[in-house]
Amino acid sequence: QKEVEQNSGPLSVPEGAIASLNCTYSDRGSQSFFWYRQYSGKSPELIMFIYSNGDKEDGRFTAQLNKASQYVSLLIRDSQPSDSATYLCAVKSLDTGRRALTFGSGTRLQVQP
Amino acid sequence: NAGVTQTPKFQVLKTGQSMTLQCAQDMNHNSMYWYRQDPGMGLRLIYYSASEGTTDKGEVPNGYNVSRLNKREFSLRLESAAPSQTSVYFCASSERVNTIYFGEGSWLTVV
């Protein structure tokens, strides 16, 4: 079982709609959760991170975390064609042997004009 | 305003050849990382260095070696390249794990 699971997509939404991206993780020791956006041929860039259960909002983006269900999601409101990219979920464990992020394989989002 | 700089950006190798990917950061970060990215596999950690003088294996270290030359530089070496090492390689650095900065990537093809 992969440590961080994401649906590869593509997830297709119309412009202006809400895009919902989901991620599950297997390590209950995971403490920090991150969403990265990656355009084709480019490097990942951080959108936001979340540590605590509940919601965290930043502009059009909302991250949601449910540690009991080992589930983290990213909502993108008022989706724009420029949001079309691959979204990577990443987790950080408290395990001292894991000092880097573990990434999921990403979900490709397509926003249709 | 360079951030994390990787060289080369593109490279084609023959099976069995060796090469070194160079990475340098100008943000005075302690931690540096090498990831590889393959289609459908996401980013997988090859090696990381928590501080100057230390290196640790990640998820997929076989076939690679690293050197943390100083605080700025972290190189990745392929001693005998194999087609399975065809990938996009990303170097990254951070001071805290919630602020990881990635380089632009190095596209490596082994034929």
Side-chain angles (χ1 to χ4, degrees):
Chain A
Q1 180 189 3
K2 291 185 66 175
E3 293 189 36
V4 181
E5 297 267 9
Q6 295 182 256
N7 188 315
S8 61
L11 172 67
S12 184
V13 300
E15 183 175 356
I18 296 176
S20 178
L21 303 160
N22 304 314
C23 172
T24 59
Y25 59 94
S26 60
D27 181 6
R28 286 195 173 274
S30 298
Q31 293 292 314
S32 312
F33 307 87
F34 303 81
W35 283 101
Y36 282 80
R37 177 177 61 200
Q38 186 176 27
Y39 292 111
S40 180
K42 301 295 186 182
S43 57
E45 53 182 343
L46 180 68
I47 299 173
M48 62 190 306
F49 57 87
I50 185 169
Y51 297 137
S52 303
N53 275 329
D55 296 358
K56 179 181 178 182
E57 186 174 319
D58 184 359
R60 295 187 297 112
F61 299 96
T62 299
Q64 298 176 317
L65 175 61
N66 184 326
K67 289 186 177 180
S69 300
Q70 296 176 248
Y71 178 90
V72 58
S73 64
L74 179 71
L75 301 178
I76 306 174
R77 289 182 300 281
D78 189 23
S79 295
Q80 301 297 309
S82 59
D83 294 326
S84 298
T86 296
Y87 289 80
L88 303 170
C89 173
V91 304
K92 170 68 173 69
S93 171
L94 267 186
D95 184 344
T96 54
R98 302 185 184 186
R99 297 178 182 173
L101 298 183
T102 301
F103 285 83
S105 57
T107 298
R108 189 157 62 94
L109 173 66
Q110 295 177 339
V111 181
Q112 306 297 333
Chain B
N1 198 27
V4 180
T5 303
Q6 295 180 229
T7 56
K9 191 170 178 69
F10 299 99
Q11 183 72 50
V12 179
L13 285 179
K14 294 182 179 179
T15 297
Q17 286 185 320
S18 63
M19 77 158 297
T20 299
L21 297 175
Q22 307 286 354
C23 176
Q25 52 94 6
D26 61 3
M27 296 172 282
N28 203 36
H29 289 164
N30 279 306
S31 299
M32 296 187 73
Y33 315 84
W34 276 106
Y35 284 91
R36 62 177 287 174
Q37 187 173 34
D38 303 295
M41 300 292 288
L43 287 156
R44 292 184 292 169
L45 183 67
I46 305 171
Y47 272 93
Y48 63 94
S49 171
S51 61
E52 183 179 354
T54 68
T55 61
D56 289 284
K57 295 179 180 179
E59 184 185 356
V60 288
N62 291 343
Y64 304 95
N65 286 301
V66 290
S67 296
R68 184 72 184 268
L69 303 170
N70 47 55
K71 192 171 185 178
R72 289 187 65 248
E73 298 173 290
F74 188 38
S75 63
L76 178 72
R77 183 161 178 84
L78 287 70
E79 292 290 353
S80 179
S84 61
Q85 293 178 304
T86 293
S87 189
V88 183
Y89 292 85
F90 288 100
C91 178
S93 72
S94 73
E95 192 55 42
R96 295 172 298 172
V97 73
N98 59 328
T99 51
I100 290 180
Y101 296 88
F102 286 88
E104 294 187 338
S106 296
W107 274 254
L108 176 65
T109 301
V110 183
V111 297

